Amino acid sequence: MAEFSPIATLEGDARFDAYVAEPAGQAKAAIIIIQEIFGVNEGIRRKTESWAEAGYLALAPDLFWRIEPHIELDPDVPDEMSKGLSLFPRFDQDAGIRDLEATIKAARARLGGDAKVGLVGYCLGGRLAFMAACRTDGDAFVGYYGVGIDGLIGESKAIGKPTMLHIAGADHFVSAEVQQKMHDGLGPNRHITLHDYEGLDHGFATEMGNRRDPAGAQLADSRTVAFFAEHLD
């Protein structure tokens, strides 16, 4: 069963929705799916349901709720792509991390206080997954083609839990120079694993959008499944 369910903010003064999918049996752990700039759209909901089918409690919080609740955009529709790009600078990322902390808390409340929680994000969500690795008490973190991570390398000294980043080699939002900075700055951290996907563009693992590369998505996703199985199950 999957449906939208309210989550209380850390301050307790408001609620936002998360798309929550329950596994058929006892959950192995919880996984939080972090949206792209297109909101909790059909693609993010599919990913959430897939994690539930794999035996995890899966939650995809609506992080744009302070701007406009329940935004759903299609990256293949030019006007909707433009709207998504316009939302990025309007989004309060620090508040988004607090909402992810609240979602971690809600997941543990459902499963028990000692339950393990992983976070996986795409695009904006990939950046937020990295930020969450630096700032939250989640147990494992995966980011797909996160943007602007080179500007956050200084925070990486706080990462003490398993973290994996999937880097698109031909990412038109993340230059080769920036990718090298990520390798130079993050590679020495024993908690961080970096995977490069030569020739693949931003969005190669999306469920929606014409940049999806099935082979690249399958490889990255198989690594993510194995990563969470190792660190959460």
Side-chain angles (χ1 to χ4, degrees):
M1 183 180 71
E3 61 184 1
F4 280 95
S5 179
I7 291 177
T9 61
L10 289 178
E11 298 78 13
D13 58 352
R15 292 178 178 268
F16 59 93
D17 284 337
Y19 187 67
V20 180
E22 300 269 3
Q26 179 66 34
K28 303 174 185 178
I31 292 179
I32 296 170
I33 298 85
I34 313 174
Q35 68 180 63
E36 303 168 282
I37 57 174
F38 309 112
V40 184
N41 62 5
E42 181 182 347
I44 293 297
R45 294 196 301 273
R46 282 185 211 158
K47 289 184 181 295
T48 305
E49 291 161 9
S50 292
W51 283 113
E53 290 168 4
Y56 297 91
L57 171 67
L59 311 90
D62 175 17
L63 298 181
F64 281 168
W65 67 277
R66 290 180 176 84
I67 303 172
E68 179 185 330
H70 290 273
I71 290 173
E72 291 188 39
L73 302 174
D74 184 337
D76 284 340
V77 177
D79 286 349
E80 295 188 19
M81 168 63 86
S82 295
K83 180 173 181 178
L85 292 171
S86 74
L87 293 170
F88 188 101
R90 295 173 58 194
F91 174 60
D92 184 336
Q93 296 181 35
D94 293 328
I97 293 297
R98 293 197 299 275
D99 291 339
L100 290 175
E101 287 187 271
T103 308
I104 293 171
K105 181 179 178 181
R108 289 190 174 131
R110 282 176 177 254
L111 297 183
D114 60 348
K116 289 190 174 182
V117 182
L119 293 87
V120 55
Y122 306 82
C123 179
L124 166 63
R127 175 183 171 89
L128 293 174
F130 179 85
M131 292 173 68
C134 299
R135 303 182 189 182
T136 76
D137 66 346
D139 297 287
F141 307 85
V142 178
Y144 285 71
Y145 35 83
V147 292
I149 290 177
D150 60 308
L152 299 168
I153 288 173
E155 288 196 47
S156 66
K157 62 181 179 294
I159 294 178
K161 296 287 182 68
T163 300
M164 184 165 68
L165 300 180
H166 299 295
I167 302 171
D171 195 322
H172 66 288
F173 289 122
V174 184
S175 69
E177 179 183 7
V178 167
Q179 292 178 38
Q180 188 60 53
K181 287 180 181 179
M182 291 170 64
H183 277 280
D184 292 344
L186 303 176
N189 188 320
R190 65 185 179 86
H191 299 291
I192 301 175
T193 301
L194 304 175
H195 291 295
D196 295 293
Y197 299 82
E198 185 177 354
L200 297 189
D201 198 357
H202 192 90
F204 74 84
T206 184
E207 294 291 326
M208 297 176 64
N210 56 25
R211 291 196 181 91
R212 178 176 173 82
D213 181 90
Q218 182 178 23
L219 176 58
D221 290 346
S222 67
R223 286 169 167 165
T224 299
V225 168
F227 184 82
F228 281 144
E230 177 182 359
H231 299 296
L232 298 181
D233 292 6

